[in-house]
Amino acid sequence: MASNKIQFRSIHELKDPALNNKLAQKEFQEEIPVEDFLGDAEQNGSSTSRRDFLKLLGFSTAAVTLAACEAPVIKTIPYVVKPHDIIPGIPNYYASTYFDGFDFASVLVKTREGRPIKIEPNPAAGDLGKTNARAQASVLSLYDNDKVKQPKFEGKDDTFDTVDTFVIKGLEEAKAAGKRIVLLSHSFASPTFKKLFGEFKAKYPTAELVTYDAFPYAAALDAAQEVFGTRALPVYDLNGTELVVSFQADILGDYNAGSLETSYASARKPGANMLRHIQVESNMSLTGANADSRYRLKPSDVNKTLVEVYNAIVTGAAPASKAAAEIVKEIQAKGNKAVVFADGSKAAQVLAHLINQKLGSVAFTGKANFLRDFDKARFQEFLGWVNAGQVGVLITNNVDPIYSYHKGEDFKKSLSKVPYVIAVADKKNEMYKAAKAVIPVANWLESWGDIEPQTGVYSLMQPTIQKIYKSRQIEESLLVWKNGKNNAANNYYEYLKASASSILGGTSFNKALYNGINVSPNTTTLSYAGGNGAQAVAELGAFKPSKLELVLYTTTAMGDGTQANNPWLQELPDPITRMSWDNYLTISPKDAEELGIENDLNARMQLDGSIVNLTVNGVKIENVPVFIQPGQADGSLGLALGYGKKNSGATAETGVNAYPLFDGSNLVVSNVSIEKTGEDHQFAGIQLQNTLMGRYEIAKEVPLHDYLNVAFDDEHEGWNKPLEYHTISGALPARKIDLWDAFDDTDGPHFNLSIDLNSCTGCGACIIACQAENNVPVVGKDEIRMSRDMYWLRIDRYYSAKQKVEVYEGLKEGMAVPELYGTAFNKEGGALNHPAENPDVIFQPVMCQHCNHAPCETVCPVAATSHSKQGQNHMAYNRCIGTRYCANNCPYKVRRFNWFTYNLNDKFDFNMNNDLGRMVLNPDVVVRTRGVMEKCSMCIQMTQTSILEAKKENRIVKDEEFQTACSKACSTGSIKFGDMNDKKSEVRELYSSNRRYYLLEEIGTKPNVFYHTKVRNRVEK
């Protein structure tokens, strides 16, 4: 059953069908500027430059051999007295809690010789143990060389003793004068912290705890307060749900302080009761990209549609628009097995709650999420205290309102009215500059603590490394200021242990610490208690439409910007745009054409785009690059928050700061205008590199109806019909034709990797996990732009759009793909929808396919790459001479050439060029040097460790013990790894699925990675 859809990766590919050929031809269009990046003083100082040397040798095998032979000499010092709990070469794991003020996860921290090197999900925590890209990358933030390294007083290095003396003096003065003492902190759902602050307030009665979050979820909390009577966010579970309708809500991203991707993926297993997902939105969000049906509307129209749906469900009024009528019909058909989500404003969320109440939605669990407690009215009250000169002491706990509050400059000026300003900070940011005293904040991996994330859950945090610098967590400071300096009661570990014992009941503290997550006595539940639907409808109706409307959002990499100085996250490509090292204004193709906005490819196939000045309600942000985004609603723009942080490290300054446009509640704003500056911006994207040479049907999809009802014959018929070759014996499936002798792979394990396109949401956690596990270097924006990313794993994003079967002059008879991807015309001459208007999206993780008949192995002149009996394609780096024949011969484009020495090289000032940043490196994986090829090893160090452990214990390896970094990090279960020779293994069971297919099966490489076709739950029209 041939597909009648076209797949494309960018608008440029639609415009120019020959683009793939151009990409291949332009790969080496310019000479390689090696001398700019060598970072080798001895060679650069020689009379004959390396570049001239390579020119003379024509970049031959001999030349690259010399490059590959260079390796640094590293001296190690043995233990004099070895710690009893550390065995060199053996990792230690500690259960802990990742919490940085924005993200939460119960995790296992992998340490080597006393230093954390990897974050893993905590299986005992269920959904709360799943890690996103930011959680995976947080280990690198521990080793941030731009951190504040010791206490400061009046701008100079000082001691804790000096700072504490200053703070205690200020506290006593404020207490005597009756002035307020304010601790301004991010949301902090720690029962022990709150208990400690209560004791602090007992000593200083004028003390106040005020919450401030850069991305505060104020609208969601206000809506919850109105509807449930409790200021806590509702927890949902999509297992058992058959329909999700989302209005502007990115439920697979940072929606309501907790992603729903785990239960979402579980509910979307193909079958009769598969979850159907309808998304109504303006931006092409991660959630919208995964939807079965997506309505592309500008924000004001999204509001109107939501109101119509609410009126139809709750009051019985007939919907006016076609979109609302279709949505209402489906919701009513599913009843309590449907759930509605909304975002953008308080009113939108109130209506969604009231719809769910009317439906009696089974997705609503009644549990409360306590991770956010920002109160806008309380914060405004605090600002009033400051402006009135009522605050004597202000202590900020790692927050920077000067950067993230939309009236940050006003706040900065008002700080002059506060005599004592103390910043507990990790960077030399604006609050650092405004404070008289600064205390470096301890990283979560250096801290003790506890978190109560939701009803019935209590999680403990423990340090996994000694404090790297002279830092202190806020709880330690409160103890000192409460008890006085040098008091024996100032040990926060002992204080936490005593406090936790009253929460844990019969569970010992050590057992709770070992598990990481435990049962909480907090039984707070939410129930529907109110909600003024009429008022919410009126508020949405009061939103004034404008020609251009802006949607603010957070990205999977950057979140609220807490980890903006993390190069792993800055380089991580956005799942939708596939751009890295930037935020930008997204615009629809139609609006871009009307406004003269351009995205062009230069001679090297690099993307350049227009720069504009953006004005929203009189607030102007200058020099914002514009990206033309397929699927963006006409009349709408999108801009990501969390970028453009000044004085927080060189990496953090990437992009523009959009917080001045965000009032803390409304993510959608009107009265927007843009003006072109006449300048162009250089984007760094990876979508158009690593092309699979124009082949189509790479990412397969099928409608649910066909999946369930069309008979499937593994050999010849059905929607997943294998490619066939015509032979002397008749037509045979490609997998049964072979020019090579087969290996005997039945002795011992034979590894396969299964990837389910139906449950891959494109979140990118697997990419960061692979980077952390395998020491993949960050190369920077310039190198990404040069198509030299070093990722061992990428997630390709494909757009797909339906094409008409009938042909006209614009289409050639019998072609599966239109000759020209411009606007096609039907027989009557009317224009069909342009494929870029509202395309479907498929995410496809691609790594080395570990082919049993690998093309790379046959062309390597020195046998640096070879195949193992276990199915892994090996790379011997010290044999590789960098000919790149293997990369040229790889049809999947998954091999990376190591162009430069990324470690110990000031040209790549990220984490590998300083001693602190290199502490994150995994000693089980070699750090590659210049001149070699590298690629996915299927985490051979992990598989061999599992085998050796089983050998020592004289047993077979359990199925769940075979893991790779990507399979461990995947929170949806899309990536599964295991032994095909184990008949009971999960990967063998997945192999038998009729959705299974191989990437480029027709070329006969016999990969050990297989995919499962994406199933869309909708009726194809």
Side-chain angles (χ1 to χ4, degrees):
M1 183 175 291
S3 171
N4 65 343
K5 301 182 78 173
I6 59 172
Q7 287 185 348
F8 57 100
R9 293 168 303 156
S10 71
I11 291 176
H12 307 91
E13 195 173 277
L14 280 174
K15 293 178 179 178
D16 185 0
L19 181 61
N20 287 310
N21 292 332
K22 292 180 181 179
L23 288 169
Q25 293 166 4
K26 295 291 184 180
E27 184 175 4
F28 306 112
Q29 191 261 348
E30 295 178 6
E31 295 186 28
I32 303 165
V34 177
E35 78 282 359
D36 292 339
F37 287 90
L38 286 180
D40 190 326
E42 291 183 9
Q43 287 186 358
N44 289 343
S46 64
S47 57
T48 302
S49 71
R50 179 183 176 88
R51 182 174 185 176
D52 292 337
F53 178 63
L54 294 178
K55 278 182 181 177
L56 290 171
L57 290 176
F59 222 117
S60 66
T61 300
V64 185
T65 303
L66 292 176
C69 290
E70 299 170 10
V73 176
I74 300 174
K75 297 179 180 179
T76 59
I77 303 173
Y79 286 114
V80 177
V81 178
K82 185 182 77 66
H84 72 278
D85 58 344
I86 292 179
I87 302 174
I90 304 297
N92 288 42
Y93 289 86
Y94 299 92
S96 190
T97 300
Y98 163 57
F99 179 73
D100 64 358
F102 184 72
D103 288 299
F104 168 89
S106 178
V107 298
L108 301 179
V109 182
K110 179 182 179 181
T111 68
R112 281 295 300 267
E113 288 73 57
R115 56 188 175 88
I117 63 169
K118 185 76 169 56
I119 306 300
E120 307 281 10
N122 184 358
D127 287 0
L128 291 174
K130 306 300 183 180
T131 56
N132 59 17
R134 297 187 295 268
Q136 288 287 333
S138 63
V139 67
L140 183 60
S141 293
L142 169 67
Y143 304 117
D144 187 345
N145 203 36
D146 292 322
K147 292 194 298 187
V148 181
K149 297 179 173 65
Q150 71 177 81
K152 308 278 184 177
F153 185 66
E154 294 185 343
K156 298 179 180 179
D157 292 348
D158 218 308
T159 63
F160 280 119
D161 185 69
T162 301
V163 171
D164 289 336
T165 299
F166 171 76
V167 175
I168 292 172
K169 178 175 178 287
L171 292 172
E172 293 296 339
E173 287 182 9
K175 179 180 178 181
K179 286 198 170 187
R180 298 184 188 275
I181 298 165
V182 178
L183 173 55
L184 187 67
S185 174
H186 53 70
S187 293
F188 202 174
S190 167
T192 302
F193 166 74
K194 291 177 179 176
K195 175 177 179 287
L196 175 56
F197 183 81
E199 295 174 3
F200 179 79
K201 183 175 174 62
K203 180 166 184 179
Y204 301 104
T206 59
E208 301 284 354
L209 177 61
V210 179
T211 298
Y212 172 78
D213 292 318
F215 193 83
Y217 295 93
L221 289 163
D222 290 344
Q225 179 80 54
E226 179 179 324
V227 174
F228 306 114
T230 303
R231 199 168 183 79
L233 301 175
V235 176
Y236 293 92
D237 185 348
L238 299 182
N239 286 298
T241 302
E242 295 182 9
L243 176 66
V244 165
V245 181
S246 173
F247 294 87
Q248 215 80 275
D250 192 7
I251 62 171
L252 302 182
D254 299 321
Y255 180 71
N256 283 8
S259 173
L260 292 171
E261 60 182 357
T262 303
S263 64
Y264 176 87
S266 177
R268 282 180 64 78
K269 290 179 180 176
N273 298 321
M274 175 184 170
L275 174 70
R276 172 159 158 72
H277 177 193
I278 300 173
Q279 187 80 6
V280 186
E281 64 179 6
S282 306
N283 290 357
M284 174 69 86
S285 69
L286 187 68
T287 303
N290 283 278
D292 296 304
S293 298
R294 180 175 179 270
Y295 292 88
R296 184 183 67 112
L297 301 175
K298 67 188 297 186
S300 53
D301 291 333
V302 173
N303 289 343
K304 291 176 182 177
T305 306
L306 174 58
V307 169
E308 289 184 40
V309 171
Y310 166 78
N311 286 332
I313 298 295
V314 177
T315 68
S321 67
K322 180 182 177 182
E326 292 173 347
I327 292 169
V328 168
K329 183 178 178 181
E330 292 204 44
I331 291 175
Q332 291 175 334
K334 291 298 182 182
N336 68 350
K337 291 188 177 180
V339 62
V340 175
F341 299 107
D343 203 0
S345 65
K346 173 194 170 185
Q349 300 221 24
V350 167
L351 293 187
H353 291 319
L354 295 179
I355 293 172
N356 293 332
Q357 180 186 16
K358 181 71 174 180
L359 296 172
S361 176
V362 297
F364 177 71
T365 65
K367 293 180 180 179
N369 180 313
F370 306 121
L371 289 172
R372 296 290 179 272
D373 60 1
F374 174 80
D375 188 331
K376 189 173 183 178
R378 170 81 165 163
F379 181 68
Q380 292 298 324
E381 186 181 19
F382 155 71
L383 294 178
W385 298 338
V386 174
N387 287 319
Q390 298 174 6
V391 177
V393 178
L394 173 62
I395 304 163
T396 59
N397 180 31
N398 209 26
V399 294
D400 185 8
I402 301 174
Y403 158 72
S404 57
Y405 179 49
H406 70 290
K407 295 182 179 178
E409 286 301 316
D410 293 342
F411 177 74
K412 181 179 180 180
K413 293 174 184 176
S414 68
L415 289 178
S416 62
K417 300 177 182 179
V418 182
Y420 291 84
V421 179
I422 300 96
V424 180
D426 62 344
K427 299 292 191 313
K428 297 176 182 179
N429 53 28
E430 294 299 320
M431 275 310 306
Y432 168 97
K433 291 181 176 179
K436 291 184 179 179
V438 178
I439 296 174
V441 66
N443 185 273
W444 70 275
L445 287 162
E446 302 169 318
S447 304
W448 287 101
D450 60 357
I451 299 289
E452 200 167 42
Q454 69 181 40
T455 303
V457 179
Y458 180 68
S459 183
L460 284 168
M461 177 189 297
Q462 63 174 316
T464 54
I465 189 173
Q466 289 286 341
K467 289 172 182 171
I468 297 173
Y469 291 115
K470 296 177 181 177
S471 58
R472 200 165 71 182
Q473 60 190 98
I474 185 65
E475 298 93 332
E476 292 176 296
S477 294
L478 288 177
L479 281 173
V480 172
W481 303 333
K482 176 177 78 80
N483 300 326
K485 295 185 290 184
N486 303 317
N487 191 307
N490 290 348
N491 186 321
Y492 184 62
Y493 164 70
E494 296 295 341
Y495 186 92
L496 172 69
K497 190 174 180 180
S499 174
S501 61
S502 64
I503 298 172
L504 293 169
T507 305
S508 71
F509 180 78
N510 284 346
K511 183 178 180 181
L513 197 62
Y514 178 84
N515 294 330
I517 199 159
N518 304 274
V519 176
S520 166
N522 190 324
T523 57
T524 301
T525 56
L526 303 180
S527 58
Y528 296 100
N532 190 332
Q535 180 183 337
V537 169
E539 289 178 6
L540 288 180
F543 181 87
K544 295 181 179 179
S546 59
K547 184 176 181 181
L548 289 177
E549 298 167 5
L550 176 68
V551 178
L552 300 167
Y553 64 97
T554 58
T555 66
T556 55
M558 204 47 52
D560 70 338
T562 298
Q563 294 192 78
N565 203 47
N566 189 313
W568 285 354
L569 293 175
Q570 289 284 6
E571 190 150 295
L572 178 67
D574 182 86
I576 306 298
T577 66
R578 304 288 287 139
M579 298 293 155
S580 65
W581 291 101
D582 259 323
N583 68 333
Y584 30 77
L585 204 62
T586 56
I587 191 171
S588 74
K590 181 180 177 182
D591 287 340
E593 185 176 359
E594 289 182 0
L595 296 169
I597 303 295
E598 297 178 346
N599 280 178
D600 292 322
L601 295 174
N602 65 16
R604 285 192 58 87
M605 299 296 132
Q606 296 165 332
L607 187 66
D608 298 325
S610 300
I611 296 176
V612 300
N613 293 329
L614 172 68
T615 304
V616 181
N617 292 319
V619 179
K620 187 175 183 180
I621 299 181
E622 297 183 339
N623 299 321
V624 185
V626 185
F627 181 84
I628 301 174
Q629 173 61 58
Q632 182 85 22
D634 297 336
S636 72
L637 305 169
L639 183 60
L641 300 164
Y643 288 82
K645 294 183 80 170
K646 304 297 182 184
N647 307 307
S648 295
T651 299
E653 294 188 15
T654 299
V656 297
N657 181 13
Y659 275 115
L661 309 179
F662 181 40
D663 65 2
S665 296
N666 299 295
L667 291 168
V668 177
V669 288
S670 59
N671 192 19
V672 179
S673 64
I674 59 177
E675 58 175 347
K676 291 179 64 177
T677 65
E679 302 294 325
D680 284 338
H681 178 77
Q682 295 184 341
F683 286 104
I686 70 171
Q687 183 60 27
L688 288 177
Q689 58 203 63
N690 306 315
T691 171
L692 295 187
M693 305 310 293
R695 295 182 173 99
Y696 290 84
E697 288 278 280
I698 298 297
K700 290 188 177 183
E701 56 182 310
V702 63
L704 179 62
H705 177 272
D706 292 353
Y707 172 74
L708 294 176
N709 298 299
V710 177
F712 180 83
D713 180 337
D714 186 53
E715 299 299 328
H716 300 291
E717 300 298 333
W719 47 264
N720 195 17
K721 180 182 178 181
L723 291 163
E724 293 181 340
Y725 287 123
H726 294 280
T727 70
I728 195 171
S729 303
L732 290 175
R735 73 175 71 98
K736 294 199 171 183
I737 299 174
D738 206 341
L739 297 177
W740 300 76
D741 292 332
F743 295 102
D744 178 14
D745 54 18
T746 58
D747 182 18
H750 184 84
F751 298 118
N752 268 209
L753 193 69
S754 167
I755 301 175
D756 191 344
L757 301 186
N758 216 55
S759 53
C760 176
T761 63
C763 71
C766 55
I767 297 177
I768 300 296
C770 173
Q771 189 161 25
E773 175 68 28
N774 295 296
N775 302 334
V776 175
V778 174
V779 300
K781 182 175 181 177
D782 290 342
E783 291 300 291
I784 291 286
R785 188 168 161 82
M786 293 285 289
S787 303
R788 292 180 186 153
D789 72 281
M790 294 302 295
Y791 287 123
W792 287 11
L793 162 64
R794 69 178 191 264
I795 300 180
D796 287 338
R797 183 265 299 121
Y798 289 96
Y799 296 125
S800 65
K802 193 169 184 178
Q803 59 177 333
K804 294 291 185 181
V805 176
E806 61 266 29
V807 296
Y808 192 58
E809 293 180 6
L811 302 179
K812 280 191 174 181
E813 292 279 357
M815 287 188 66
V817 181
E819 182 184 23
L820 295 176
Y821 286 139
T823 303
F825 295 88
N826 59 27
K827 292 179 179 178
E828 289 71 36
L832 303 176
N833 288 337
H834 191 282
E837 281 189 3
N838 193 20
D840 291 328
V841 179
I842 305 177
F843 296 107
Q844 184 176 55
V846 181
M847 66 290 288
C848 175
Q849 303 290 290
H850 295 269
C851 310
N852 288 309
H853 295 163
C856 57
E857 295 170 10
T858 58
V859 294
C860 181
V862 292
T865 182
S866 58
H867 207 72
S868 78
K869 206 171 186 181
Q870 295 176 345
Q872 290 156 308
N873 177 262
H874 291 175
M875 270 301 303
Y877 298 121
N878 61 343
R879 290 184 64 88
C880 178
I881 59 174
T883 62
R884 299 193 296 165
Y885 298 159
C886 56
N888 293 336
N889 221 37
C890 175
Y892 306 102
K893 302 306 170 191
V894 289
R895 288 176 166 263
R896 300 288 177 266
F897 182 67
N898 196 311
W899 288 95
F900 307 109
T901 303
Y902 299 106
N903 61 313
L904 299 170
N905 189 338
D906 289 341
K907 297 289 185 180
F908 299 94
D909 186 11
F910 302 111
N911 68 294
M912 287 190 177
N913 75 332
N914 63 80
D915 289 336
L916 181 63
R918 284 196 299 274
M919 287 179 70
V920 81
L921 297 179
N922 181 2
D924 292 332
V925 180
V926 67
V927 176
R928 285 75 60 187
T929 191
R930 181 172 71 247
V932 303
M933 297 299 305
E934 56 182 86
K935 52 97 197 172
C936 162
S937 67
M938 214 176 262
C939 291
I940 188 171
Q941 70 279 3
M942 296 175 68
T943 57
Q944 294 309 304
T945 297
S946 298
I947 292 170
L948 290 173
E949 286 295 320
K951 278 184 177 179
K952 287 193 295 184
E953 298 173 13
N954 196 27
R955 60 172 176 81
I956 62 171
V957 182
K958 299 174 185 176
D959 184 35
E960 63 272 13
E961 290 181 287
F962 281 133
Q963 292 278 8
T964 58
C966 56
S967 66
K968 262 191 173 183
C970 184
S971 55
T972 64
S974 173
I975 303 177
K976 297 290 185 181
F977 178 76
D979 177 12
M980 284 292 289
N981 288 337
D982 180 356
K983 295 181 180 179
K984 296 181 180 179
S985 68
E986 185 176 10
V987 75
R988 177 140 179 175
E989 181 182 347
L990 291 168
Y991 179 84
S992 63
S993 168
N994 60 357
R995 289 196 293 132
R996 178 203 17 102
Y997 76 96
Y998 290 100
L999 203 55
L1000 304 183
E1001 184 178 26
E1002 67 271 23
I1003 60 179
T1005 56
K1006 307 287 185 184
N1008 282 318
V1009 177
F1010 58 88
Y1011 293 82
H1012 293 266
T1013 303
K1014 185 176 183 68
V1015 179
R1016 294 197 187 277
N1017 187 358
R1018 71 179 179 216
V1019 177
E1020 296 287 356
K1021 298 178 182 179

